[in-house]
Amino acid sequence: MKTSSIHLRLWLAAAVAIPAILATGCDSHDSVASSPPALKAPAPAPQAIHAIEPAKVPYRTTGPLVAEQQSDVAAQRDGRVVSISVGIGDRVRRGQELAALDDRALRTAVESHTAKLDSLHAQVREWESEEKMDSADLRRADQMRASKILSEEGWEHVKYKLDEVTSEVARYRADEAAAAADLKTAKLQLEQCHILAPFAGVVGRQSLRLAQEVKQGDVLFWITAEAPLRILFTVPESEMASYPTGAPLDLTSPGYPALHQPARVLRVSPVVDPASDSVQVIGALIHPSPLLKPGMSMQINPALSSEGHTAQ
């Protein structure tokens, strides 16, 4: 009986508590639903994006260093090499002998033609002297003929003798001229046996050896002057504005990374090559470094100003 009374009290307490809890939950829900919505922060205004154009990269190219005087030295006649006076790297002066071909036969020919010319020259002088005497005889014969002292037959004899001597003088003079021409040819051929430097410079290549048989036109040496040095290169037509006449250049070499050789555009071809759409440019080096040699390949860069723009 006592236990039943306890259960009854617990049931009544629960019946009272449940409605109160439900009422509290409803009030809380209404409070949340009635609260005003939170204000959102305004979205930031979009910023204008400016496109940054990349700086134009200066056009760079490569080209060889050249000297204004460079030349192949070829054999001017057939012959056998009997002496070589210089080698690669030797400096030579203008007219210096580089090599020689066998000239013994030609020296003999020159001596023979010289002797023949001397003989003919002496004979011409003798005939000219006789011509002078016969001319004087004819003048006297003319006077004697006019004075009726000399017969017509005698006068004709004097005249015929002078004509004969004059003819001999002309013949020997012609022989003398022919002998002089033969001697000149022989001397020229003799000179061609001696290979000479066409200008002062340095021997860049050598293509002969002792006792070698060479033919006319065979290249035996390549000579180049050492100064002034020029840089030779081509640029596309679209880049011509970067290389006007007088524009400064900066030359570099893979062999000497620290070297920056100043130069300036000396000449620009007025003609565009239609096959490559390019123009040829020649630059002059300013106080060339002694490290630079003709034939070296250089990279050509337009010189930049302090602001990083191509200097004009």
Side-chain angles (χ1 to χ4, degrees):
M1 185 69 178
K2 188 175 183 178
T3 303
S4 300
S5 177
I6 293 172
H7 287 170
L8 179 61
R9 290 191 188 99
L10 291 175
W11 184 87
L12 290 175
V16 174
I18 289 173
I21 292 172
L22 292 175
T24 303
C26 290
D27 292 342
S28 175
H29 178 75
D30 293 341
S31 175
V32 173
S34 61
S35 61
L39 296 177
K40 294 182 179 180
Q47 296 181 354
I49 300 176
H50 300 283
I52 300 176
E53 296 183 0
K56 182 180 179 181
V57 178
Y59 178 79
R60 293 176 172 84
T61 185
T62 58
L65 288 177
V66 298
E68 286 198 336
Q69 287 185 305
Q70 294 180 324
S71 176
D72 289 329
V73 182
Q76 295 181 291
R77 60 176 293 104
D78 299 351
R80 183 171 60 88
V81 178
V82 295
S83 69
I84 302 174
S85 305
V86 297
I88 295 176
D90 288 346
R91 288 179 171 81
V92 296
R93 63 184 182 278
R94 181 179 180 181
Q96 179 179 339
E97 183 174 288
L98 309 178
L101 306 180
D102 187 358
D103 62 355
R104 290 173 296 178
L106 290 172
R107 280 191 283 110
T108 300
V110 168
E111 292 172 359
S112 175
H113 287 302
T114 300
K116 181 179 180 180
L117 180 61
D118 291 343
S119 174
L120 288 170
H121 183 72
Q123 289 178 312
V124 168
R125 300 289 84 80
E126 290 178 5
W127 283 106
E128 286 177 342
S129 297
E130 187 168 347
E131 183 182 32
K132 289 180 180 179
M133 290 188 295
D134 289 347
S135 295
D137 290 343
L138 181 60
R139 287 193 296 271
R140 286 192 297 270
D142 288 339
Q143 294 174 356
M144 295 172 66
R145 178 189 178 194
S147 302
K148 305 297 184 180
I149 299 175
L150 183 65
S151 65
E152 191 71 22
E153 183 179 355
W155 179 86
E156 289 179 355
H157 177 74
V158 175
K159 178 69 169 58
Y160 175 78
K161 184 180 179 183
L162 176 61
D163 291 343
E164 187 178 39
V165 170
T166 301
S167 177
E168 288 298 312
V169 170
R171 182 171 70 85
Y172 276 99
R173 281 177 177 170
D175 291 345
E176 181 186 34
D182 291 341
L183 177 59
K184 183 178 180 180
T185 300
K187 285 183 175 180
L188 178 60
Q189 292 174 340
L190 182 61
E191 291 175 0
Q192 291 173 344
C193 288
H194 300 273
I195 315 301
L196 307 179
F199 49 81
V202 63
V203 179
R205 288 194 299 269
Q206 176 182 327
S207 307
L208 77 166
R209 63 182 185 279
L210 286 174
Q212 177 182 346
E213 293 288 341
V214 299
K215 299 293 184 181
Q216 182 179 359
D218 287 351
V219 175
L220 308 180
F221 296 93
W222 181 68
I223 306 294
T224 177
E226 295 183 279
L229 284 179
R230 301 285 186 255
I231 183 72
L232 183 65
F233 59 100
T234 59
V235 296
E237 181 183 1
S238 59
E239 297 292 340
M240 289 175 57
S242 299
Y243 294 90
T245 301
L249 304 173
D250 177 45
L251 309 182
T252 57
S253 170
Y256 301 100
L259 175 65
H260 287 267
Q261 172 63 52
R264 285 194 176 274
V265 174
L266 183 64
R267 290 190 293 272
V268 180
S269 173
V271 179
V272 177
D273 181 7
S276 60
D277 291 330
S278 62
V279 295
Q280 188 175 69
V281 182
I282 299 176
L285 277 66
I286 302 172
H287 305 301
S289 166
L291 299 174
L292 301 180
K293 307 296 181 186
M296 289 179 62
S297 179
M298 305 292 290
Q299 182 171 2
I300 301 100
N301 314 288
L304 300 180
S305 65
S306 58
E307 290 79 12
H309 302 296
T310 303
Q312 298 292 337

